[in-house]
Amino acid sequence: MADSVASAADDDEISLFGRRESFAQRYHLTRRGNVKRLGQIVKIMSQFDVTKGITPRKMRMMLEALGPTFVKAGQMLSMRSEILPQQYCDELAKLRADADPMPYQTVVETLEQEYGRPVDEIFADIDPKPLGSASLAQVHRATLVTGEDVAVKVQRPGVRQTMAQDVSIMRSIAKAATRFMGSSMQVVDLGGVVEELWDTFEDETDFLIEARHLAEFKRFCEPYRYMDCPKPYMDLCTQHVVVMDYIDGISLNHTGKLIEEGYDLKEIGTKLVDNYAAQILDNGFFHADPHPGNVIISGGKIVLIDLGMVGRLDRKTRQVLRQMIFAVGKQDSPALADGLLRFADVQPDSEDYPQLLSDLDVIVEEYGKVDLADLNVAEFAMALTNLAQRHGIEVPSTITTMSRAMVTLEGTLDEFIPDVNMIQIITDHATTSKRLDEVAADEIKSLGIEGNKALHGSLDALAESKVAMRMLTRGQLRMNMEIVGSEEPLKQISDMINRLTMALIVVGLFVGSSIVYYAGMKPIVFGIPVVGFMGYVVAFILGAWIVFDIYFKGRKAKKAAKGK
């Protein structure tokens, strides 16, 4: 049954009322289809001759040829420097999901299937020529029967099924690799990476999520006279279609046209960065892909479009980010270390903490003294991320997303508006963004939480001290004391005492054997009494052992010192 549904026992889902359909059944995946798709993947990879090595550029081009799943996977991997070397991440960040446009008739059929009625009952007119065409969806300008000028984003038919098929193949490969290498040999959890990819695919192919992002960001923009985003028409949005306001403006790509229209590029850049700082530090909801094509200037406003990729930061993470920004400015390594550890919510390792501070000193020394205008955000963010990974500090994925978004924004500004001092604007915003009453309210809340923890800690300490006092009065108290960092000196002292003890035994044997020799005790061998002879032999062996022990341990210590 080659074309039967490729279902496995571990793919089935169990519900309270029986067995639900498996992943393969849900997306109509068959073994024959999987084998055919795998053949296509192998053929494309062979065209790029991957067996002879793969450069960053070749990898990007290969992923583009493999289709939407691999394009999205590449975009995600560009944010994961713990999986790929940095030069590969930088190249994959250039991935764009441009594709040949799908036929207009396919667009109409998709819309009618989604709405269950003819398109002319909803749209008075649809421009057959697309505004843009990507591997995931296509956008057309249209007019509603009620007169509104809108943009209609239509998902390509079958794209989620294609992604599901690719993910199914990836899962099989990940399982096989795990069995072959064993969990102990895996530097990265391959299965976890594949599942993370699928979660992202599911979100990005559910256009209702993007519509809700647009509505949320629209509310965020209301207090800002210079910021906006398209308004979604929620009653017309479905899982595969987004209908939103059409924005007629000038893309940030066309700086010459912006200047002709009288816009000040530096003002645009300054306001864009300041608002982005507000998204990250104040609101905790930010546009995760601010490349120039997603920034439009219309009617004196900066309009951000395409909110398919967003990021979220909770209150704690935003507070830590503020702390780390100020720590770099003050060249305060301990505060920077405290911020990294608060991300992971772990206590510092007493043995590793000095090395963590030492490594942070290097980063602070390199970046803290650089003029803000010359600070490379990408290098700084990646240096911190890589340092955290070396010390086993797990940085939240939202921070990685934010870092990549900042790098994208920096690239946008450097290429089109190079005079904007991005870091200075963010630092100024972090310093002045909150009103005094807001700061006081946050501090009171923080103090309340910390005070509650301190109170409970004090009560626990009092309870423990009561037990200790009772044991002390009964003569039951014992103390274990450990001097941190004393293990090596104590070991050296122990070795010295052992050698001295052995040396005294050797001397004693030599002296005793000499006394026996001069006493002429019998029996005699080689002219020496047997007892004395044995004493000399044992003394010689022990003496030689002491000499060799001192020599080889000395060499080992010298090699260790050179290695450091």
Side-chain angles (χ1 to χ4, degrees), residues 466-502:
K466 180 182 178 181
V467 175
M469 290 299 295
R470 183 182 300 166
M471 294 176 67
L472 180 62
T473 55
R474 294 180 180 180
Q476 297 174 328
L477 187 64
R478 295 181 181 179
M479 181 178 293
N480 292 326
M481 182 167 56
E482 178 184 0
I483 304 174
V484 179
S486 65
E487 293 83 358
E488 187 61 29
L490 288 175
K491 186 175 182 299
Q492 292 177 358
I493 292 171
S494 176
D495 287 343
M496 290 170 60
I497 293 172
N498 290 339
R499 288 171 185 168
L500 284 173
T501 303
M502 295 297 292

Side-chain angles (χ1 to χ4, degrees), residues 119-188:
V119 292
D120 56 12
E121 292 183 12
I122 302 169
F123 302 100
D125 177 65
I126 301 176
D127 188 350
K129 184 179 179 182
L131 296 170
S133 184
S135 57
L136 186 62
Q138 189 161 294
V139 182
H140 287 259
R141 187 175 181 178
T143 305
L144 297 177
V145 291
T146 50
E148 291 89 348
D149 195 6
V150 296
V152 184
K153 184 175 181 179
V154 182
Q155 189 174 125
R156 288 179 181 267
V159 70
R160 180 178 274 209
Q161 182 180 354
T162 301
M163 288 183 165
Q165 187 172 56
D166 289 342
V167 166
S168 178
I169 294 170
M170 291 179 187
R171 281 174 175 166
S172 300
I173 293 172
K175 286 179 182 178
T178 301
R179 291 195 203 100
F180 177 74
M181 294 188 297
S183 57
S184 60
M185 293 179 62
Q186 285 192 69
V187 179
V188 177

Side-chain angles (χ1 to χ4, degrees), residues 127-266:
D127 188 350
K129 184 179 179 182
L131 296 170
S133 184
S135 57
L136 186 62
Q138 189 161 294
V139 182
H140 287 259
R141 187 175 181 178
T143 305
L144 297 177
V145 291
T146 50
E148 291 89 348
D149 195 6
V150 296
V152 184
K153 184 175 181 179
V154 182
Q155 189 174 125
R156 288 179 181 267
V159 70
R160 180 178 274 209
Q161 182 180 354
T162 301
M163 288 183 165
Q165 187 172 56
D166 289 342
V167 166
S168 178
I169 294 170
M170 291 179 187
R171 281 174 175 166
S172 300
I173 293 172
K175 286 179 182 178
T178 301
R179 291 195 203 100
F180 177 74
M181 294 188 297
S183 57
S184 60
M185 293 179 62
Q186 285 192 69
V187 179
V188 177
D189 179 10
L190 298 177
V193 171
V194 173
E195 295 310 315
E196 184 181 344
L197 285 172
W198 176 244
D199 289 342
T200 303
F201 294 158
E202 279 198 306
D203 287 348
E204 290 201 30
T205 53
D206 186 350
F207 284 179
L208 283 173
I209 293 177
E210 181 176 349
R212 288 193 288 268
H213 290 164
L214 284 167
E216 184 175 353
F217 198 75
K218 184 76 174 177
R219 290 192 296 271
F220 164 77
C221 290
E222 286 175 358
Y224 300 93
R225 296 174 59 187
Y226 61 87
M227 285 296 299
D228 204 357
C229 80
K231 180 189 75 174
Y233 292 80
M234 296 300 297
D235 56 331
L236 296 177
C237 294
T238 72
Q239 193 175 33
H240 304 108
V241 176
V242 178
V243 179
M244 60 195 131
D245 281 335
Y246 172 75
I247 305 298
D248 188 10
I250 306 170
S251 170
L252 202 59
N253 285 312
H254 305 126
T255 52
K257 194 171 182 181
L258 288 170
I259 294 172
E260 288 177 8
E261 293 291 326
Y263 287 106
D264 183 339
L265 297 184
K266 188 169 184 178

Side-chain angles (χ1 to χ4, degrees), residues 305-323:
I305 62 172
D306 191 0
L307 271 83
M309 292 176 62
V310 299
R312 293 185 186 275
L313 301 171
D314 58 26
R315 178 185 291 272
K316 173 190 169 183
T317 304
R318 299 200 301 272
Q319 289 175 343
V320 174
L321 280 175
R322 287 174 181 270
Q323 171 188 330

Side-chain angles (χ1 to χ4, degrees), residues 283-312:
N283 195 52
F285 174 70
F286 60 93
H287 194 301
D289 192 22
H291 66 80
N294 283 341
V295 184
I296 294 175
I297 311 303
S298 175
K301 290 186 176 184
I302 303 169
V303 183
L304 294 182
I305 62 172
D306 191 0
L307 271 83
M309 292 176 62
V310 299
R312 293 185 186 275

